[in-house]
Structure formats: structure tokens, C-alpha cells
């Protein structure tokens, strides 16, 4: 089953609500894959465990809430992680975690089925305002403006640009 991430069993998990959620998750995975493909060239100079942890953050953002979660996934002390990113002229670990969550939130908001509050809860934010702050930090726009003005391709470009310029 190389490359297969999910399987739907007929008569078991093919109810309309579950199937819809699975399809939405697959679409979100496509955007995450696009983001990973765009960021991979930037990660070339980083140790493999760190590059894999950053990729994992974009694929499973709900598992990464803090920079420490990223450090733990990379098997690095937080200070070492920060130094490695700084030496590579990349944004902070916190910025990578924020960006990964924002990319997933963007997808959820673009479907039109969920509100900022719902997406914030799904991604483990304490409040919707925290998601709004992260969105502004990662893209320069509030979530509602982001989904109206920015295509998925442009989102990827904007996020990569912000992650590759230290600020």
C-alpha cells in the first residue's frame, strides 16, 4: 500500500458524513503536498530529521502546536533547532508551525462548510483569535480576506516567501 494514506470500507465507513470528511481531508492533503513540494528545495541544507519534521508539520498540522513539538519531532533540542533555522536564513520554528496550521485552516475555510471558530477548534487553537493572528503572521491577511483574494497556488508562494525571509 505504498502511498495509500486512507482506505474506505464499503458498508463500514462509507456513510455520507464520514465519506465527505474523508474527501475533504484528501483535498487538504493535496494542498499540504503542494506546500511540501514548494518548501523542499529550501530544506535541502537542513539535517534530514529536521526537514522530515517540517514536512510532517504540513501534512499533520494538528499534531504540531508549538515550536517544541517541531523540535521533538526532529529529535533536536529547541535551541539547536532555532540555530539551524537561523543559519539557513529561515524563519523561526514557531513560524513554520504557524504556517502549517494556516495552510490547513485555509483549505477548511475555502470549502465554505466551516467557520473560523470551527477550524480553530479542529486545529487545537484555544481561541479563533489565535488562528486569526497566525493567519495574519503567515500571510499578512485575515482569514476571510485570505480565502477571498488568494488562490491555493498564491497561498503556497506567499507562505514559502515568508518562511524563507527571516523577520
Amino acid at each position: 500500500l505504498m502511498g495509500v494514506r486512507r482506505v474506505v470500507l464499503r458498508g463500514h465507513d462509507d456513510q455520507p458524513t464520514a465519506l465527505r470528511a474523508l474527501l475533504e481531508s484528501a483535498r487538504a492533503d493535496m494542498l499540504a503536498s503542494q506546500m511540501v513540494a514548494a518548501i523542499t528545495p529550501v530544506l535541502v541544507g537542513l539535517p534530514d530529521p529536521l526537514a522530515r519534521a517540517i514536512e510532517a508539520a504540513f501534512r499533520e498540522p494538528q499534531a504540531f502546536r508549538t515550536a517544541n513539538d517541531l523540535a521533538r519531532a526532529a529529535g533536536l533540542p529547541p535551541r539547536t533547532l532555532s540555530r539551524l533555522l537561523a543559519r539557513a536564513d529561515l524563519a523561526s520554528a514557531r513560524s513554520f508551525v504557524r504556517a502549517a496550521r494556516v495552510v490547513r485552516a485555509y483549505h477548511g475555510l475555502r470549502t465554505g462548510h466551516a467557520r473560523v471558530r470551527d477550524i480553530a477548534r479542529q486545529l487545537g487553537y484555544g481561541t479563533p483569535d489565535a488562528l486569526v493572528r497566525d493567519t495574519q503572521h503567515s500571510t499578512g491577511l485575515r482569514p476571510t480576506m485570505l480565502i477571498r483574494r488568494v488562490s491555493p497556488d498564491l497561498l503556497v508562494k506567499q507562505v514559502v516567501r515568508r518562511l524563507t525571509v527571516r523577520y
Side-chain angles (χ1 to χ4, degrees), residues 43-104:
L43 305 179
V44 170
L46 297 176
D48 285 343
L50 176 53
R52 284 194 304 270
I54 290 171
E55 290 173 6
F58 282 100
R59 294 189 191 286
E60 300 293 334
Q62 62 280 4
F64 294 82
R65 293 185 182 190
T66 68
N68 286 340
D69 293 334
L70 188 61
R72 198 171 7 267
L76 297 168
R79 292 185 77 174
T80 302
L81 171 65
S82 294
R83 278 190 227 117
L84 288 168
L85 292 172
R87 271 192 228 133
D89 285 328
L90 297 174
S92 69
R94 184 175 181 201
S95 292
F96 275 91
V97 170
R98 284 176 165 169
R101 295 172 87 191
V102 166
V103 168
R104 186 56 58 109

Side-chain angles (χ1 to χ4, degrees), residues 4 8 28 32 36-38 54 61 71 92 139:
V4 176
V8 176
V36 167
I54 290 171
S92 69
T139 68

